[in-house]
Amino acid sequence: MCISLVKYMTSGEITTLLKNHIPGDNDSLNAVYTALYSEIKAIAGHQLKSLNPGQTITPTVLANECYLKLAGLSELPPTDKRHFMRYLAKSMRRYLIDCLRQKHSAKRNVNRSYTGLSQFIGDDNIEFRLLDIDRLLDLIEEIDSQSAEILHYKLIFNFTYPEIAELMNLSERHVIRLWQQARALLLTLVNEQARDEH
Amino acid sequence: MNIENIKRAHQLLAKLSDFSLDEATQKINTTTELDPEVKQLALDLLQNAQQSSHYFNDKIASLFSFESEHRNQLPIGSQIDDYTITTLLGEGGMSQVYSAIRDHTDIQKPVAIKVFSPISHSTELKQRFTSEQRILSGLSHPHIIAMQHGGITASGQPYFVMELVNNADTIIDYSKQKNLNIEQKLKLIITAAEAIEYAHNNLIIHRDLKPNNIIIGDDGELKLVDFGIAKLIPLNHEPDQHTMMALTPEYAAPEQIKGENITVKADVFSLAAVAVALLTDEKPFSKDRLLNRCAHDELHLHVVLKKNIADSDLRNVLNKALQQDPKRRYQNMHEFSRDLQFWLNKKPVSASPDSYRYRIQKFCQRRPAFSASLLVLMITITAGLLLFSWQYNQTKLEARKAQAVKQFMLQAFDITDPNFTEGIQVSAQDILQMAAVKLDSNTQLAPGIKFELYQSLGIAYGQLGFLPKAINMLQQSLNIYPNNSHSLAYLCQYLFNANQEQTLDHWLNQFDENKFSDSADKNRILRIKANRLGLAGDFNGAMAIINSLTASDRIDQLLNQRLKAELYYLNGQSEKSIEIIKQALANADLKATNTLMLAMNSDLVQYYDRVGDYDTALDLSLKLVANHRKILGNNHPGLGAALNELSIFYRLKGHFEQAKTAAAESRAIFQNLYGDDSTGLSQAISNLAMIDYLEGNYEAAIEKFSQATKILAHVYSPDHPETLIAEANLATIMTASGHAKEANKLLMHVYQVENKTLGPHHRSTLITQQSLALNLAATGNYQQALKHAKNNYNLFHQYFDATMPHVINSQFVYGRVLSMAGENQQALDMLLPLEPLFKNSEELNFIKLSQFLSKIYLSLDQPSQADEYFNKTISALTTVYSKQHIKTLQARFEYAQFLKSQQRTDEADNLVKDIVSIIDKNNVSAPTLSAQLADF
């Protein structure tokens, strides 16, 4: 994992960015993403150093770390919090894809050390798969932003239903239902895409 | 991908979130939303919402949860408990294995230590690990890697210490290296099975059986390893969700992949999958089985097995262990390994089909199913279409399409275009099988459609004569709609054709055909009932039923007529049969190649034969053959079957050369079309065998019959009635050629089974009894023989018409047995009346009769009559076989011996001289005879 030396932003700086960013304004949005991305990377590197041999890092843990670190953001009003989660999730996705790309370009030994993904998906390039899903997640955001939100919460942050319910200010039951619908939407899109490709 | 449409579909669905699945489906179908694509998307969404979260996790969630870093390895020399790491042996998904040695001892026996990734948050997991390893250390079995103990390191990594296997190879590598054969490979599997069974008995399911977990050390000992995700068998059966990530889908059982309840049967499945990989060098399942939830498993497996494993019993065993539905598998390891062991010992395996009831057709050559092979063409194309449409768009087979396909298949009753003769597929059966398998494993077709297809396939199979499969398909259709009269009617039909009497009884008791709304179906059932009565000798009862039938359409009427004709035949009134058939054929508005037409013509041949109108019979038979050639060409299975029939007919007439030619051509056709594996081929070879037998080439006959039997055992199963018929024929030949003792046991067995299942006065039972009686007499068991012969004679006369050939034969048998038992006067009384009956029609029987009579008269010391019959014998032999045939010569030699004994030495000498000169002039090969003549 290459850890580049990056300026750490303080939580305050990110909050400011968020508060000040104008919806629809690409420049300020980009700034947010860049900041978050760097944060994620830094935290990831930091985490790894502290791990024992054999231990691993997962996106969930990483995301949680990020969230915790930028603890000042807990003071954010709920809607802003959700915005932040959204940006974080998106940044996380970028980060994951980049990690995967790096791994593929490095030399691998035959015994893949990561949890049998290749067993699950065959010898396909996992990176591409993730890219597809990534793209579809963007699509889903266009179709129904609530679905996209839930997918982020479950797939990347691995929040529990109560946590999501609190975040979104909905009943747990409602959250579960939305989650089912969101999954169905994603699966359907995956199938549609597969069909298109043939 | 149209975003707008997807949006609309999603919104549509959101509105329906409170409805049940069926209601929602209905609402979608009847919505005011006009765009069909939107509707379809909504349905897709609805369906995908039903997918379990497992499916989602497999496909998508897993993408987000990989490690983002190489794992660090433990450095050499580091310590775990009392051990020092020496080398890294290997790495797996969740663990690393090191070799290590124990500190502080002189014993330098290395161990293996398996270290897992640290379990981060979950104390629950930690606890589970601890209890698991405690249980696993309790397993003590020579073929399971001994677990010594385990623990958790300071840094939170669980580990096991276990026995180290030197230079271990996986079971597949080992077998490749040592070039093992099937038996050796299976022995390894059986060893593994026993070890797993032991674990099961200790409440541990392995759950991750795969070649890498079955290793063999350099001492040749097999060891099971990595009960690493083995779990206690849960006492309350909750589905287990924790071990998804570590699974190797290639060998996992479907219930593991689907996240359902896991039992010991999952291990049975996995071990069988390993066995397949071991035996075939191919993977049993396709790569994407996880994503497809095992939908293609059966098909893939079928292809792999068919391609690589020749023995159908072995295939059956493996198939049974690899059933998708755990309920249909072997219930435990023991059953599986036992069947494997049985197979190795060449005993019958439980996985092969059950013993059917028997239909013995030894002397009755009516084979109604042959004509069905004409349907091969149509079915091939149709089944191909079916497969194609499935493959093309599996989830979208609309009801309309299914209906069209079904219609197409059912119209296969009529062959409309002779141009279809091109491109006949050898693998029609395989294609049908694949279609059937695809149907079985397709869980997304609506029940209604599945039902249609099962029914159609069942009937198609039945028309082709693949009765077990037909029966299976129809039963499956009845699982969906249990009261469907069409399926019930055809199922009963095929059960009857296959003589599964008990199963048939069972089904017939399940319903009342009078309640069927479709009269064609009702008639079908009634015809079966009538037919059964007819076969058991109750002519009047059977006719009563037939006369009460009202035909629903012209086909139905023809079927009724056909059965009527058969009843008359069974009752000895074959003239009436002819009348009925002729009229039916004249009025039938069907093509010459229609199956029913051909079947009825085939019947007609038999009836003409029975009334003694041999010219017409032969003529018709020849015409049938010519018809086939003209319309369907020289390479058609229907032609092969017709040739087989012709051969039998020629043989009965004594025209051996023509019989041989016909059978040989049939054999060539079947071999060309189906290779070494078809009933048609078996029949052809049997026909050739019969001729060998009649010409006195017993060894050749026995060899061919054995061949024919083997084919049948392979195509059906060793216990199948067809196989047993062939074996009984073989027994008969063996008896006649002096190997009576070997034949005896076989005949006894067949008779006992028939007696029990069909009843003592069923025609088949009685026919077998005749063979048995003769065989017993031939082996000297005269008491038994007489008992059976007499019983047979009485029963036949009691239940059947006296003019029927089998009834006459019972007299013949009784007479012969009497004579063999030394009761010559009684024998005479029995046999003499037969002379006029055999003289003009049953040449071969006549010869036999005359021979017996001559011998009897000799024993009764009535030389002039003996003389008369010797001459009759010789004259008949000359006519049928020829003057220089060895049989004729042998008979004449016997006569010469008789003459000598009567002091008619001159005549004797002259006769012998004549025989010798014929042998010389015609170069007859007769070493034994020549030697005897020389002695004379």
Side-chain angles (χ1 to χ4, degrees), chain A residues 93-106:
Chain A
R93 277 156 52 187
R94 293 284 157 285
Y95 174 70
L96 292 178
I97 291 172
D98 285 345
C99 277
L100 217 41
R101 281 211 176 106
Q102 263 193 333
K103 293 175 77 159
H104 272 275
S105 57

mmCIF file of all heavy atoms in Angstrom, chain A residues 93-106:
data_model
loop_
_atom_site.group_PDB
_atom_site.id
_atom_site.type_symbol
_atom_site.label_atom_id
_atom_site.label_comp_id
_atom_site.label_asym_id
_atom_site.label_seq_id
_atom_site.Cartn_x
_atom_site.Cartn_y
_atom_site.Cartn_z
ATOM 1 N N ARG A 93 -15.570 4.317 -2.791
ATOM 2 C CA ARG A 93 -15.650 3.491 -3.981
ATOM 3 C C ARG A 93 -14.454 3.716 -4.876
ATOM 4 O O ARG A 93 -13.836 2.797 -5.402
ATOM 5 C CB ARG A 93 -16.952 3.783 -4.728
ATOM 6 C CG ARG A 93 -18.148 3.035 -4.178
ATOM 7 C CD ARG A 93 -19.461 3.708 -4.474
ATOM 8 N NE ARG A 93 -19.627 4.017 -5.893
ATOM 9 C CZ ARG A 93 -20.639 4.733 -6.362
ATOM 10 N NH1 ARG A 93 -21.545 5.218 -5.539
ATOM 11 N NH2 ARG A 93 -20.738 4.976 -7.637
ATOM 12 N N ARG A 94 -14.135 4.977 -5.067
ATOM 13 C CA ARG A 94 -12.956 5.279 -5.889
ATOM 14 C C ARG A 94 -11.722 4.615 -5.324
ATOM 15 O O ARG A 94 -10.911 4.042 -6.037
ATOM 16 C CB ARG A 94 -12.692 6.799 -5.909
ATOM 17 C CG ARG A 94 -13.706 7.643 -6.588
ATOM 18 C CD ARG A 94 -13.594 7.538 -8.097
ATOM 19 N NE ARG A 94 -14.853 7.897 -8.720
ATOM 20 C CZ ARG A 94 -15.914 7.123 -8.741
ATOM 21 N NH1 ARG A 94 -15.882 5.944 -8.179
ATOM 22 N NH2 ARG A 94 -17.046 7.532 -9.287
ATOM 23 N N TYR A 95 -11.635 4.738 -4.020
ATOM 24 C CA TYR A 95 -10.452 4.220 -3.339
ATOM 25 C C TYR A 95 -10.341 2.705 -3.526
ATOM 26 O O TYR A 95 -9.272 2.177 -3.818
ATOM 27 C CB TYR A 95 -10.540 4.573 -1.849
ATOM 28 C CG TYR A 95 -9.444 3.968 -1.036
ATOM 29 C CD1 TYR A 95 -8.129 4.418 -1.148
ATOM 30 C CD2 TYR A 95 -9.707 2.917 -0.155
ATOM 31 C CE1 TYR A 95 -7.117 3.857 -0.405
ATOM 32 C CE2 TYR A 95 -8.703 2.357 0.585
ATOM 33 C CZ TYR A 95 -7.418 2.820 0.467
ATOM 34 O OH TYR A 95 -6.427 2.249 1.204
ATOM 35 N N LEU A 96 -11.458 2.052 -3.369
ATOM 36 C CA LEU A 96 -11.445 0.592 -3.501
ATOM 37 C C LEU A 96 -11.000 0.194 -4.906
ATOM 38 O O LEU A 96 -10.215 -0.729 -5.090
ATOM 39 C CB LEU A 96 -12.841 0.026 -3.233
ATOM 40 C CG LEU A 96 -13.345 0.134 -1.798
ATOM 41 C CD1 LEU A 96 -14.755 -0.410 -1.684
ATOM 42 C CD2 LEU A 96 -12.429 -0.623 -0.858
ATOM 43 N N ILE A 97 -11.524 0.895 -5.847
ATOM 44 C CA ILE A 97 -11.177 0.555 -7.225
ATOM 45 C C ILE A 97 -9.694 0.774 -7.469
ATOM 46 O O ILE A 97 -9.014 -0.043 -8.087
ATOM 47 C CB ILE A 97 -12.015 1.371 -8.223
ATOM 48 C CG1 ILE A 97 -13.459 0.900 -8.145
ATOM 49 C CG2 ILE A 97 -11.484 1.232 -9.628
ATOM 50 C CD1 ILE A 97 -14.420 1.741 -8.941
ATOM 51 N N ASP A 98 -9.217 1.844 -6.957
ATOM 52 C CA ASP A 98 -7.790 2.115 -7.139
ATOM 53 C C ASP A 98 -6.930 1.054 -6.480
ATOM 54 O O ASP A 98 -5.929 0.612 -7.050
ATOM 55 C CB ASP A 98 -7.437 3.488 -6.549
ATOM 56 C CG ASP A 98 -7.930 4.595 -7.450
ATOM 57 O OD1 ASP A 98 -8.262 4.295 -8.615
ATOM 58 O OD2 ASP A 98 -7.991 5.747 -6.995
ATOM 59 N N CYS A 99 -7.323 0.675 -5.299
ATOM 60 C CA CYS A 99 -6.574 -0.383 -4.611
ATOM 61 C C CYS A 99 -6.505 -1.626 -5.458
ATOM 62 O O CYS A 99 -5.476 -2.260 -5.610
ATOM 63 C CB CYS A 99 -7.272 -0.764 -3.303
ATOM 64 S SG CYS A 99 -6.853 0.324 -1.979
ATOM 65 N N LEU A 100 -7.639 -1.963 -5.985
ATOM 66 C CA LEU A 100 -7.736 -3.179 -6.776
ATOM 67 C C LEU A 100 -6.835 -3.067 -8.005
ATOM 68 O O LEU A 100 -6.147 -4.016 -8.376
ATOM 69 C CB LEU A 100 -9.183 -3.358 -7.195
ATOM 70 C CG LEU A 100 -9.733 -4.782 -7.242
ATOM 71 C CD1 LEU A 100 -9.255 -5.585 -6.054
ATOM 72 C CD2 LEU A 100 -11.230 -4.724 -7.271
ATOM 73 N N ARG A 101 -6.845 -1.899 -8.586
ATOM 74 C CA ARG A 101 -6.011 -1.705 -9.777
ATOM 75 C C ARG A 101 -4.554 -1.894 -9.439
ATOM 76 O O ARG A 101 -3.812 -2.548 -10.156
ATOM 77 C CB ARG A 101 -6.203 -0.287 -10.311
ATOM 78 C CG ARG A 101 -7.455 -0.105 -11.115
ATOM 79 C CD ARG A 101 -7.252 0.949 -12.182
ATOM 80 N NE ARG A 101 -8.443 1.036 -13.016
ATOM 81 C CZ ARG A 101 -9.319 2.024 -12.960
ATOM 82 N NH1 ARG A 101 -9.145 3.024 -12.108
ATOM 83 N NH2 ARG A 101 -10.376 2.031 -13.740
ATOM 84 N N GLN A 102 -4.194 -1.377 -8.320
ATOM 85 C CA GLN A 102 -2.800 -1.500 -7.906
ATOM 86 C C GLN A 102 -2.412 -2.948 -7.706
ATOM 87 O O GLN A 102 -1.345 -3.385 -8.094
ATOM 88 C CB GLN A 102 -2.588 -0.741 -6.596
ATOM 89 C CG GLN A 102 -2.037 0.627 -6.797
ATOM 90 C CD GLN A 102 -1.569 1.205 -5.501
ATOM 91 O OE1 GLN A 102 -2.072 0.849 -4.440
ATOM 92 N NE2 GLN A 102 -0.608 2.085 -5.578
ATOM 93 N N LYS A 103 -3.308 -3.646 -7.062
ATOM 94 C CA LYS A 103 -2.997 -5.044 -6.783
ATOM 95 C C LYS A 103 -2.811 -5.831 -8.060
ATOM 96 O O LYS A 103 -1.965 -6.689 -8.170
ATOM 97 C CB LYS A 103 -4.133 -5.681 -5.980
ATOM 98 C CG LYS A 103 -4.239 -5.106 -4.591
ATOM 99 C CD LYS A 103 -5.426 -5.656 -3.872
ATOM 100 C CE LYS A 103 -5.067 -7.025 -3.423
ATOM 101 N NZ LYS A 103 -5.782 -7.598 -2.378
ATOM 102 N N HIS A 104 -3.624 -5.510 -9.021
ATOM 103 C CA HIS A 104 -3.525 -6.273 -10.268
ATOM 104 C C HIS A 104 -2.241 -5.997 -11.001
ATOM 105 O O HIS A 104 -1.729 -6.864 -11.705
ATOM 106 C CB HIS A 104 -4.714 -5.953 -11.166
ATOM 107 C CG HIS A 104 -5.881 -6.834 -10.877
ATOM 108 N ND1 HIS A 104 -6.017 -8.068 -11.437
ATOM 109 C CD2 HIS A 104 -6.924 -6.671 -10.052
ATOM 110 C CE1 HIS A 104 -7.136 -8.634 -10.973
ATOM 111 N NE2 HIS A 104 -7.694 -7.810 -10.136
ATOM 112 N N SER A 105 -1.758 -4.813 -10.870
ATOM 113 C CA SER A 105 -0.552 -4.516 -11.632
ATOM 114 C C SER A 105 0.700 -5.029 -10.941
ATOM 115 O O SER A 105 1.707 -5.286 -11.570
ATOM 116 C CB SER A 105 -0.437 -3.018 -11.884
ATOM 117 O OG SER A 105 -0.461 -2.356 -10.644
ATOM 118 N N ALA A 106 0.587 -5.238 -9.660
ATOM 119 C CA ALA A 106 1.765 -5.769 -8.965
ATOM 120 C C ALA A 106 1.918 -7.255 -9.237
ATOM 121 O O ALA A 106 1.015 -7.893 -9.750
ATOM 122 C CB ALA A 106 1.625 -5.515 -7.468
#
